[in-house]
Amino acid sequence: MTDVRASRARYRRILRFALRYMAQAWWFELLLPRLGLAGVAARGRAARMRRIAREFHGLAVSLGGLMIKVGQFMSSRLDVLPPEITKELEGLQDEVPPVEFAAIRALAEAELGVPLDRAYASFDPVPVAAASLGQAHRARLSADDAAQAGFTDVVVKVQRPGIDEIVTVDLAALRKVAGWLNRVRLVADHVDLPRLIEEFAATSRDEIDYLHEAASAERFAAAFAGDPRVGAPAVAWERTTRRVLTLADVTAIKANDLAALRAAGIDPSSVAPVFARVMFDQLFDHGFFHADPHPGNIFVTPRPDAAGTDEDPAWALTFVDFGMMGEVPEHLRDSLRRLVIAVASRNGRQLVDSIQEVGFLLPSADTAQLERAMTELFARFGGMGFAELAQVDPDEFRDFAVRFGDLVRSLPFQLPENFLLIIRAVSLTSGLCSSLNPAFNIWDAVEPYAAKLLRDERGNAAQAFAKEAVSIAGTVVRLPGRLDRLVSAFEDGTVAVDAPRLDRRIRSLERLARRLIAVVVFAALLISGAVLRDELPVLGIVLMVASIPALLHALFAGFVTRRSDRGA
């Protein structure tokens, strides 16, 4: 009964928080600007953002569970969210309080079926890390298990007791909030929030299934086998269950520990482009990517025996925590490749086409103005990194927002299916790269990759052209023989022609051609009349009325002619 009351209290607390700040956003961001008081709303915006972020920070730390995940996502958006929010939430990466060891021991022993001192040679009761869904402890495998696994030092990840119920309650609250927001037309026109929550729910369920995570860790390691830039821990399957995961201990320098990197002789600014390229490889080449690459899940591992070249780097990026992984289907990968090429080449037309192809814009969208906006955006801000953008006069951004803000808001944007994890991965990548090097320019990472994609695409096109040329050449080579056989058949009198059937087919094609012409004439007259009606009403109406006979011919001519054919 106590657990039920606790779950209800948790649910209500999340909803109260969401309602309070949804009402505040409606007042300041929608109502006051419509009353001509946009300046009043803008003056206190920074303080409001800090207060909201501070209170959500407290809520997330207090409740844990999926609220931590939501906060971590927002704290990583250094590229789009104001610093008032990201600074307040950045501590959520490391601030999750641990569970008492007695509860962890009880859960682990129940899962493994043996006492901890028999399952492991040693087990440190002090956690090395505490996360929202579980916590990690260092341990050592027994001699027999170590011989089988090939390593001794391990990190054991144990689920937080009761996390299944907590995830269920949090998802129920998020579904309720998404339902409220989905009633707001501005939100509903651009994103299907209930569907996104279900996608988030599926990901969260995968995260608390450690057998699924172990399989993902092995798949990730296999994808980068032989690549010295990337490492991943091996799995000790004998000590892994749905709620306990045992991995080789690969702890090294935390990716955003700039002092430790420099002490190891590693320039943090050199890590950023390699990390970006590795993430691009996952998204565009492998189609299987780490969707939670925050600094706590990325280590920089020195490789003292390496040559220190691009082929044999002096350090590697070691990924851990494979609970949140994403997949990019081949058709979506192709669309994303073209989008990257468009961005790198500053091609507004191609970018808009790629956005539509990916599914961000509904087919009905009028993209001419958006193309103009993107072209102007590339012309003014293209190629700038975040540090350079920070030096741009705010009035320039304000002018651009005033000129094109209404356009962007009016377009029928939507968030495509399976895109939530891609956005998360790219956002976290951008945030970590910016923390490693504030002057990091994402274009520097995009352009070499786009050039490679462009070469590959040209190669594929050339290969397809060559195959088609071979096919045509084969047809041409066989054509004289076929013609010779046909002429011989005519000379021998063995070619039979069914003239009545051929005549009917010809008449059918003639009817179809006439109806197609009627359709074109109808469309031309109707559209011309509609366009001219405002300026020349009489002519416009005449043209629209004149389109009716063409429409009637297109609809009924075939029926009438078929009856006459049957009569004949």
Side-chain angles (χ1 to χ4, degrees), residues 191-405:
V191 62
D192 185 352
L193 272 180
R195 178 180 57 75
L196 286 184
I197 292 299
E198 293 313 313
E199 189 177 331
F200 180 61
T203 302
S204 301
R205 293 296 181 193
D206 285 344
E207 278 200 87
I208 56 177
D209 181 355
Y210 286 169
L211 291 174
H212 182 274
E213 179 174 347
S216 294
E218 289 200 336
R219 180 179 172 185
F220 182 90
F224 284 98
D227 189 335
R229 302 172 303 164
V230 182
V235 181
W237 284 102
E238 290 299 313
R239 292 292 177 242
T240 295
T241 71
R242 184 178 176 276
R243 292 181 174 87
V244 176
L245 174 61
T246 304
L247 300 166
D249 188 354
V250 293
T251 307
I253 303 170
K254 196 173 175 180
N256 65 344
D257 189 343
L258 306 188
L261 287 172
R262 293 190 182 101
I266 300 171
D267 180 5
S269 63
S270 69
V271 177
V274 175
F275 175 58
R277 285 196 294 272
V278 167
M279 291 303 299
F280 283 149
D281 286 345
Q282 294 174 49
L283 285 166
F284 299 115
D285 289 344
H286 303 299
F288 182 67
F289 64 95
H290 198 300
D292 198 21
H294 65 74
N297 287 339
I298 314 293
F299 294 115
V300 179
T301 305
R303 301 176 68 239
D305 298 330
T309 62
D310 289 342
E311 293 74 22
D312 191 20
W315 46 267
L317 292 165
T318 303
F319 288 73
V320 298
D321 192 352
F322 300 92
M324 188 182 294
M325 303 295 290
E327 295 198 48
V328 189
E330 184 60 38
H331 72 277
L332 182 56
R333 239 181 296 168
D334 289 340
S335 299
L336 288 174
R337 290 187 189 110
R338 284 189 280 275
L339 192 147
V340 168
I341 292 170
V343 171
S345 60
R346 319 290 198 268
N347 188 324
R349 174 69 263 169
Q350 187 179 349
L351 177 61
V352 172
D353 289 343
S354 301
I355 289 173
Q356 272 193 307
E357 191 176 335
V358 168
F360 275 118
L361 279 176
L362 294 174
S364 60
D366 180 3
T367 58
Q369 285 280 57
L370 182 61
E371 179 186 347
R372 188 166 66 87
M374 292 298 100
T375 301
E376 192 164 328
L377 180 69
F378 282 140
R380 177 61 189 92
F381 306 115
M384 289 187 178
F386 297 127
E388 293 172 290
L389 289 171
Q391 304 303 316
V392 175
D393 186 348
D395 288 338
E396 287 198 53
F397 290 120
R398 193 174 300 114
D399 176 63
F400 190 88
V402 168
R403 291 167 56 204
F404 296 108

Side-chain angles (χ1 to χ4, degrees), residues 84 157 163 167 174 183 284 300 366 398 403 459 464 539:
E84 292 85 4
K157 190 173 173 182
I163 194 63
V167 167
L174 290 173
R183 294 190 183 124
F284 299 115
V300 179
D366 180 3
R398 193 174 300 114
R403 291 167 56 204
L539 180 58

Side-chain angles (χ1 to χ4, degrees), residues 497-507:
V497 179
D498 189 353
R501 188 174 300 171
L502 182 61
D503 288 342
R504 284 198 298 272
R505 174 59 63 186
I506 291 172
R507 285 198 300 270

Side-chain angles (χ1 to χ4, degrees), residues 111-148:
E111 281 291 304
L112 297 171
V114 294
L116 275 188
D117 54 6
R118 285 180 54 194
Y120 301 95
S122 64
F123 196 100
D124 188 349
V126 179
V128 66
S132 55
L133 306 181
Q135 63 189 49
H137 295 257
R138 283 199 173 92
R140 291 176 63 84
L141 294 175
S142 65
D144 290 342
D145 287 345
Q148 185 171 350

